[in-house]
Amino acid sequence: MNKYDVLIIGAGFAGSVMAERFANDGKKVLVVDKRSHIGGNMFDYIDDNQVLVHQYGPHLFHCKDFFVLDYLKNFSNWYPYEHRVKGYVNGKVVPIPFNLTSIEMLFDEDEANALKEALINEYGMEQKVPILMLRKSNNVMIRGLADFIYEKVFKFYTMKQWDLTPEQIDPKVTERVPVFISYDDRYFQDEYQFLPEDGYTKIFEKMLSHPNIDIRLNTKAQDILKINFEDHKIIFEGSEFSGLFIFTGQLDELMNYRYGKLSYRSLYFDLQSHDGIYQETATVNYPTPEAEHAFTRITEFKHLMQIKPQRTTIAIEYPYPYDENGEKGNIPYYPVFTDENKTIYDQYVEDIKAFDSFVLLGRLAEFRYYNMDGVVAAALNKYKELTQGNLND
Ligand code: FAD
Ligand code: UDP
């Protein structure tokens, strides 16, 4: 007999949305997380400076789908916030994504006018062009500009972040920050851009507060369950678990690396306190070579807050190779999107298909470059799919 109908590994958005949905349906749910807190990478807290710090890097909510925001409104009030990023290019601090203002700031007037005209003629205003595509333009002037942007904005940032060049990684990664033929200097153009009034952690507290939900922190899945590949069973605390199993962590680790290791990239956040204001924008990127700046970006959290405290806290973001036992770099923040990893991942997924009621969800388990809205949408969609007939009482 199982005490729980649903067993969820991971208390990030993927796990917490599922827990909330099923608990609401009357199911008994257990959420397990190896960390000492809920919220996964969305976790935030108020520090000694009265600044709301996002412990695992700056998290801005932006999405196109109203149903995601509509659902999240059940757990918080949200205030409008549009993120703006600048980057160090040739000693100047220019808008990122690289846009028409960036051109005006970096080239003399005649050259800037010629470049803007060429871009607008070729692609039109308000268009986004991925850097790798811009480099393939037939127009010599545009190609020259593209090479400049590639060298000054993408090459070194990407090498620092991924230890790969932009060509060695899935093009969708650099497409996230395309060259923007526009004067719109927002980092995202999605219709809905907000931040939660009391931070993200409070959302998770509310989501997981249902009496049908039990939470076990500081607990690694592998310590309480065993995946039996021969007869496709999950053994949970000594007996077979026949309910719904939802896993949101690293699949290769859960499956004892039987098809090899997937690669991930990590980060180290150097948190610093200062007086007043540290920088003019919430985030400043450093797309400079590693020898000049080993970090990729600095975020000043105060700019995200409605009421600005006196002092300020910044996070300097250093990319790191992932090493689960390392003092730094022990969190797998980013799946690395290469063909090799995809081949390994697909083998793991094939094995999972043989199990009944074994769901992979979220950024790690699905090995996808999800933003938070994507994870929430995927969880809501998966819940719908599972409750339209598949899950037995
Ligand atoms: P996670 O939040 O990683 O949760 C997974 C949980 O599972 C973790 O708590 C982990 O401890 C637990 N776990 C894993 N394996 C095990 C195990 N074996 N046993 C027990 N527990 C386990 N998105 C945006 O929309 N906007 C942003 O501005 C944004 N900025 C980001 C900045 C950074 C630096 C990073 C890394 C991500 C950012 N994201 C952003 C993405 C966002 O963090 C993710 O989409 C979201 O947190 C993913 O939720 P999840 O539940 O899939 O994973
Ligand atoms: N990127 C870059 N230079 C920049 C900003 C982004 O080269 O100034 C590239 C880099 O490869 C990065 C990717 O675009 O990993 C996606 O950037 P995004 O800001 O979306 O990354 P995230 O916030 O997910 O770390």
Side-chain angles (χ1 to χ4, degrees):
M1 275 293 282
N2 292 137
K3 185 174 163 199
Y4 297 106
D5 303 301
V6 186
L7 172 55
I8 300 176
I9 309 302
F13 257 136
S16 300
V17 170
M18 290 303 249
E20 186 277 334
R21 290 287 75 200
F22 280 108
N24 220 32
D25 275 353
K27 307 284 183 212
K28 284 291 288 172
V29 181
L30 176 65
V31 179
V32 174
D33 203 299
K34 61 185 174 190
R35 296 186 192 176
S36 59
H37 60 73
I38 57 173
N41 285 344
M42 307 298 309
F43 179 77
D44 55 15
Y45 62 95
I46 302 274
D47 73 359
D48 292 344
N49 294 333
Q50 299 308 308
V51 171
L52 182 70
V53 172
H54 299 183
Q55 179 159 320
Y56 303 97
H59 279 80
L60 306 318
F61 178 81
H62 56 101
C63 86
K64 293 185 174 67
D65 292 317
F66 181 70
F67 80 95
V68 174
L69 177 62
D70 199 35
Y71 171 74
L72 291 174
K73 277 182 171 172
N74 291 316
F75 311 100
S76 178
N77 291 325
W78 295 74
Y79 60 92
Y81 171 82
E82 292 181 324
H83 196 52
R84 285 181 169 77
V85 175
K86 293 202 169 162
Y88 267 103
V89 176
N90 279 2
K92 292 195 170 135
V93 183
V94 307
I96 302 284
F98 198 94
N99 67 12
L100 297 180
T101 307
S102 315
I103 293 179
E104 288 174 2
M105 291 177 75
L106 289 164
F107 297 92
D108 71 41
E109 198 176 338
D110 288 347
E111 201 177 356
N113 285 339
L115 288 168
K116 287 189 293 180
E117 196 182 322
L119 283 174
I120 295 163
N121 283 343
E122 184 80 12
Y123 303 101
M125 275 301 280
E126 306 308 321
Q127 296 304 309
K128 295 179 173 179
V129 190
I131 186 61
L132 296 180
M133 195 188 278
L134 200 68
R135 290 191 93 195
K136 292 192 182 127
S137 167
N138 292 324
N139 181 315
V140 181
M141 192 188 286
I142 292 178
R143 264 204 325 272
L145 174 68
D147 288 349
F148 172 86
I149 301 171
Y150 176 86
E151 196 72 19
K152 300 287 181 180
V153 177
F154 288 94
K155 186 170 144 188
F156 299 113
Y157 189 114
T158 302
M159 285 166 64
K160 288 192 280 192
Q161 175 78 3
W162 298 98
D163 197 25
L164 295 170
T165 63
E167 292 75 15
Q168 289 170 321
I169 196 152
D170 188 324
K172 288 199 183 74
V173 170
T174 47
E175 274 173 27
R176 287 168 61 93
V177 189
V179 173
F180 194 14
I181 304 168
S182 173
Y183 287 100
D184 181 347
D185 64 350
R186 296 172 303 163
Y187 205 57
F188 312 109
Q189 275 67 46
D190 295 337
E191 186 172 351
Y192 308 111
Q193 303 192 37
F194 294 94
L195 287 175
E197 214 161 74
D198 303 311
Y200 293 104
T201 303
K202 290 273 183 275
I203 293 181
F204 289 89
E205 284 171 3
K206 211 163 172 189
M207 267 184 176
L208 297 174
S209 66
H210 198 287
N212 283 348
I213 301 176
D214 288 345
I215 303 170
R216 261 191 237 174
L217 296 176
N218 304 304
T219 307
K220 198 166 177 173
Q222 290 83 331
D223 294 337
I224 54 164
L225 57 86
K226 193 173 165 292
I227 311 289
N228 195 333
F229 295 104
E230 278 69 52
D231 50 10
H232 309 120
K233 288 186 176 15
I234 294 164
I235 309 300
F236 169 52
E237 294 187 323
S239 51
E240 184 183 342
F241 180 72
S242 56
L244 177 66
F245 180 62
I246 300 172
F247 183 71
T248 75
Q250 296 144 267
L251 194 50
D252 55 340
E253 186 192 54
L254 182 76
M255 298 177 75
N256 298 324
Y257 307 107
R258 62 203 316 238
Y259 300 118
K261 283 196 170 190
L262 291 165
S263 40
Y264 305 90
R265 287 290 284 172
S266 191
L267 299 169
Y268 167 69
F269 294 97
D270 177 16
L271 291 179
Q272 294 183 0
S273 285
H274 295 271
D275 280 327
I277 288 179
Y278 183 81
Q279 60 189 26
E280 59 175 293
T281 350
T283 297
V284 177
N285 285 4
Y286 290 76
T288 37
E290 190 172 355
E292 250 172 83
H293 302 105
F295 50 91
T296 49
R297 56 188 175 190
I298 299 180
T299 296
E300 184 170 18
F301 294 108
K302 185 178 193 166
H303 293 292
L304 276 50
M305 298 173 69
Q306 285 180 294
I307 298 166
K308 320 274 184 221
Q310 193 64 25
R311 283 177 63 75
T312 195
T313 307
I314 60 164
I316 308 177
E317 217 166 306
Y318 290 87
Y320 256 77
Y322 170 62
D323 172 6
E324 66 170 317
N325 300 314
E327 196 192 316
K328 290 177 182 170
N330 54 21
I331 293 175
Y333 286 103
Y334 298 87
V336 177
F337 305 99
T338 57
D339 291 342
E340 198 187 336
N341 277 332
K342 183 159 179 9
T343 306
I344 297 174
Y345 178 77
D346 287 347
Q347 286 175 280
Y348 286 118
V349 172
E350 268 315 302
D351 272 9
I352 298 301
K353 284 183 186 159
F355 287 76
D356 285 335
S357 306
F358 190 141
V359 172
L360 299 174
L361 197 65
R363 178 151 155 145
L364 293 170
E366 292 185 74
F367 213 72
R368 284 185 61 165
Y369 204 155
Y370 271 131
N371 290 326
M372 71 178 103
D373 62 306
V375 171
V376 173
L380 292 174
N381 288 332
K382 182 54 82 177
Y383 163 76
K384 217 175 187 180
E385 184 192 314
L386 290 166
T387 49
Q388 276 167 3
N390 288 349
L391 183 71
N392 298 324
D393 277 348

